[in-house]
Amino acid sequence: MKKFFKVLAILFALTVVFIGGLLFWAVSQKSEVAAEATPFIEESVPLISTWKISQFEHLFSVEGRAAFNGEEGQKVIEYLSKIGGLKSFDSPVFVRSKSSVAISGESKEIAIFTVEAKFENGAGLFTFVLSKEDSEYKIDRINLSSNAFLDL
């Protein structure tokens, strides 16, 4: 019976160490992603808020750029520009990150951040979906939510 409790205690201790290690790894990954992506986002927000594709196109991934090339993309940018010029923005807030591997073996790291911003015609919330390409982040998708669009 003593041996049973000893084995049980060892299994419990190993489980605690494993969970603790997993939590430590998750926190360190979050810090690393935030440290790498935050300067990129802080550089991107003012450029995107010019509403001129030529100013920010280089910040987007190939998939992201494809969304702006068509007539529909031009209309979206034109509509978003109605919120006006950027007045100020807060620091980016890390939401989550994930990694995925395609059948071809290619891996992709995705990070999601939000940024609260104030524009000439109201406040808005940017949501950035970033992917890591060649050890640097690029924007895959971006969303701007604002109640100011209700009045435009």
Side-chain angles (χ1 to χ4, degrees):
M1 194 64 152
K2 219 177 190 183
K3 194 173 191 178
F4 171 74
F5 285 120
K6 200 182 250 186
V7 169
L8 195 60
I10 289 172
L11 288 175
F12 179 75
L14 288 174
T15 303
V16 168
V17 167
F18 176 74
I19 291 172
L22 195 59
L23 288 173
F24 176 76
W25 176 79
V27 168
S28 67
Q29 285 294 102
K30 176 184 171 183
S31 298
E32 182 180 321
V33 169
E36 289 179 10
T38 296
F40 173 75
I41 295 170
E42 288 175 342
E43 168 194 331
S44 301
V45 171
L47 293 174
I48 291 168
S49 300
T50 64
W51 312 117
K52 295 176 184 164
I53 294 173
S54 62
Q55 295 289 315
F56 59 81
E57 187 175 29
H58 67 282
L59 302 170
F60 281 78
S61 65
V62 173
E63 295 88 4
R65 267 184 250 136
F68 295 115
N69 287 338
E71 185 179 323
E72 189 175 315
Q74 297 287 334
K75 286 180 181 179
V76 168
I77 294 295
E78 186 179 317
Y79 182 76
L80 292 176
S81 70
K82 292 179 180 182
I83 198 166
L86 180 69
K87 286 185 170 182
S88 66
F89 65 96
D90 296 341
S91 295
V93 176
F94 176 81
V95 176
R96 67 185 161 113
S97 68
K98 67 179 183 174
S99 297
S100 61
V101 179
I103 294 173
S104 64
E106 185 179 315
S107 65
K108 187 171 187 175
E109 289 181 43
I110 294 173
I112 301 173
F113 287 81
T114 59
V115 178
E116 290 187 30
K118 290 179 181 53
F119 298 93
E120 291 171 347
N121 296 322
L125 179 71
F126 279 114
T127 302
F128 287 88
V129 179
L130 308 176
S131 62
K132 201 166 192 181
E133 294 180 1
D134 301 325
S135 73
E136 68 178 10
Y137 283 99
K138 294 287 185 180
I139 301 169
D140 271 348
R141 291 180 303 281
I142 191 168
N143 182 20
L144 176 59
S145 303
S146 176
N147 287 338
F149 290 120
L150 298 174
D151 299 328
L152 299 177

